[in-house]
Amino acid sequence: MHFHVPHPPSFSNFHHLVDQVRDVIKHYKTEKESEAHQIFRNAAPSHQPKGFLPQTVNPDEETVPGIEHPGSTGVIYCSDRAMANGFSYTSSHEWANLGQGAPEVGPLDGAPPRPTSIPLPLDSLEYAPTTGVKALREAVANLYNHTYRQGKASQYTYENVCIVPGGRSGLSRVAAVIGDVYTSYQVPDYTAYDQVLSAFRRLVPVPTALDPKNKYKLDIAQTKKDIQTQGLAVILASNPRNPTGQVIKGHDLKELVALGREGTTVILDEFYSWYIYPKHDQDFGHSISSAEYVEDVNQDSVVIIDGLTKNWRLPGWRVCWVIGPKNLITALSQSGSFLDGGANHPLQLAAIPLLDPVHVRQEKIALQKHFKAKRDHVLARLKELHLDVDIPPSSTFYVWLNLEKLPPPLNNGLTFFEELLKEQTIVIPGIFFDINPAHRRNLFNSPCHHFVRLSFGPPIEDLDKGLDAIGRVLKKAKMTRMKDIGQGYKTDVEEISEPVQVQ
């Protein structure tokens, strides 16, 4: 009797079978299957879902009775993860930081010279008023009137301006004076809104998911319905919008501002108001602000937050402002007295000549030409890598990159971020722009899960360094058939035995 003995599988067939199994494993369905997601959840108690018991407690943080850690913003978390992979600010030149939310600060062609010294008159050594130096407040009001309100009967004065030590301080001061109200916010949007809405609990957060099929456009008609049916009292948004690089302008912005005359307060974070990229050269120098559509500066409930950080490319100065009705400014003076105490006095004085309209126009044109060229360069290089950008940015200095077409698990932002850390490059995973104060949502269900934010704020040589790293990750994934993708992530600086070398 003869028995048929099957031939053993060939070596190539065996590897093909292993690859098939590996592909199945890589199709993560939940957070618990992903190493990158577990690192994020375990980084701090505040990253755990809230509202469920038992709560996870980190004994290294929960050491003081009554203290609850608020959690870090996306940029801080990503910086911490980068440090665990060897990044340090003393050796940052070895890394490409495409996660930074700040523009390059060096000289630009056609721009005025960069500030190199700060005068220190004797009286500047005293505290400044919590509303800011009057001369700077006047300069801010004059700039907005000159740029956006020529010919209008209602004009801003210094009484409509409060100087604050940074944009987050401005947000915090405003949040501190808002009562128990429903506050509308959009997803995706600026990461710090998550912490503001969590910390100032009198603001009851009401989310609106923006649709990528509509280029993340805010539906003003639907917003009006939500005001009527949900009782929204405050609308909070960035415009131009971080991270999508889109902007509300023209009729839509006019309609949004009009809500401030109908019983709803509109708070607009306008830090990227100069980063507008026109199609025609004659349009360079144009910027966007809701101030253009305000009818009465003291009656329209429209609040503008802006400053030197992005447009003047002076993030280290921490000189910013809030513009709104006079009675808002007096309230902000009071909240500032216990929140931050006011902005740096000498730097406020040094900022005054920088707000001269002639100086501003020169800065604005140089900035727009330079950053538009960088935007176009980044988009072209991403296209070469077959990473087409669904919705190219028309403003800001961010690219909202959809990874959905990449093979799993490289197609989610947290894993893509961790793989780039191995190549000494930092990006920001999209989930940090999913403003989700309760953190209840499974991260895999987030509308931002398949995205990362790339910044073209840094100098072009840093951008190329980071884009080269993205190319290496994609090449490695293809050549190894995803063999080492999604695993082997360092969680502590001590795990690093040798510095990572750039290939």
Side-chain angles (χ1 to χ4, degrees), residues 214-489:
N214 197 27
K215 294 187 176 180
Y216 297 102
K217 183 178 179 180
L218 179 64
D219 188 332
I220 303 296
Q222 183 61 49
T223 301
K224 290 180 178 179
K225 290 179 183 178
D226 292 342
I227 290 171
Q228 295 173 351
T229 59
Q230 300 182 36
L232 300 179
V234 175
I235 296 172
L236 171 64
S238 61
N239 188 52
R241 194 176 294 281
N242 172 10
T244 60
Q246 305 307 303
V247 61
I248 306 169
K249 59 184 180 179
H251 178 73
D252 288 341
L253 184 55
K254 185 176 182 179
E255 288 284 292
L256 180 59
V257 169
L259 297 178
R261 293 188 287 275
E262 301 170 8
T264 301
T265 296
V266 179
I267 304 171
L268 292 176
D269 170 348
E270 296 187 346
F271 271 86
Y272 300 93
S273 57
W274 293 7
Y275 292 84
I276 307 293
Y277 306 117
K279 294 180 180 179
H280 307 291
D281 286 354
Q282 64 265 29
D283 294 327
F284 280 117
H286 178 69
S287 54
I288 295 288
S289 176
S290 54
E292 184 175 352
Y293 301 105
V294 169
E295 290 186 0
D296 190 312
V297 298
N298 289 313
Q299 295 299 318
D300 294 14
S301 299
V302 177
V303 182
I304 298 168
I305 307 175
D306 200 351
L308 301 185
T309 304
K310 304 296 194 296
N311 294 333
W312 281 259
R313 299 184 299 113
L314 295 169
W317 282 34
R318 312 303 294 159
V319 174
C320 299
W321 48 81
V322 180
I323 301 175
K326 290 180 184 178
N327 59 356
L328 168 73
I329 303 306
T330 57
L332 297 184
S333 174
Q334 294 165 0
S335 65
S337 68
F338 64 81
L339 278 174
D340 55 62
N344 182 291
H345 196 159
L347 288 172
Q348 288 189 63
L349 298 175
I352 295 168
L354 303 182
L355 274 74
D356 175 75
V358 175
H359 180 101
V360 164
R361 180 162 179 80
Q362 191 179 354
E363 286 270 21
K364 199 183 295 184
I365 292 173
L367 177 147
Q368 290 176 348
K369 289 182 176 180
H370 182 77
F371 278 79
K372 183 183 180 184
K374 290 201 295 181
R375 179 201 65 173
D376 294 345
H377 178 76
V378 170
L379 292 177
R381 287 216 52 192
L382 288 171
K383 187 173 183 179
E384 291 173 1
L385 295 170
H386 304 289
L387 290 173
D388 292 333
V389 178
D390 300 336
I391 306 171
S394 59
S395 56
T396 74
F397 46 77
Y398 302 120
V399 174
W400 188 235
L401 181 62
N402 190 350
L403 307 170
E404 236 171 339
K405 295 178 182 177
L406 292 179
L410 204 56
N411 64 346
N412 76 74
L414 267 177
T415 301
F416 193 83
F417 158 72
E418 290 286 351
E419 292 300 324
L420 278 174
L421 290 182
K422 297 177 182 178
E423 299 291 338
Q424 296 184 302
T425 293
I426 305 170
V427 297
I428 306 295
I431 58 163
F432 289 109
F433 303 94
D434 180 357
I435 313 303
N436 178 22
H439 302 165
R440 289 190 176 95
R441 187 186 295 123
N442 184 309
L443 297 175
F444 273 64
N445 296 330
S446 167
C448 306
H449 183 243
H450 293 289
F451 289 85
V452 290
R453 188 194 74 178
L454 307 182
S455 169
F456 54 94
I460 192 128
E461 54 269 22
D462 290 350
L463 300 180
D464 279 331
K465 193 185 302 182
L467 290 161
D468 289 344
I470 292 174
R472 291 196 299 273
V473 167
L474 297 178
K475 183 177 180 181
K476 173 186 172 185
K478 183 177 181 180
M479 293 186 67
T480 66
R481 298 186 180 183
M482 310 296 289
K483 179 181 177 183
D484 296 320
I485 304 296
Q487 58 187 338
Y489 302 135

Side-chain angles (χ1 to χ4, degrees), residues 140-204:
V140 172
N142 291 337
L143 177 62
Y144 276 76
N145 291 334
H146 178 274
T147 309
Y148 304 111
R149 303 194 59 77
Q150 290 193 26
K152 297 183 185 292
S154 179
Q155 298 282 298
Y156 288 118
T157 72
Y158 77 94
E159 292 179 287
N160 297 108
V161 180
C162 180
I163 308 301
V164 292
R168 292 175 184 84
S169 176
L171 279 171
S172 299
R173 284 202 196 189
V174 172
V177 300
I178 295 176
D180 299 288
V181 296
Y182 288 117
T183 303
S184 170
Y185 66 94
Q186 297 84 54
V187 175
D189 213 331
Y190 176 42
T191 61
Y193 299 165
D194 194 304
Q195 280 71 30
V196 169
L197 292 168
S198 296
F200 293 90
R201 296 177 185 179
R202 296 177 67 189
L203 284 70
V204 182

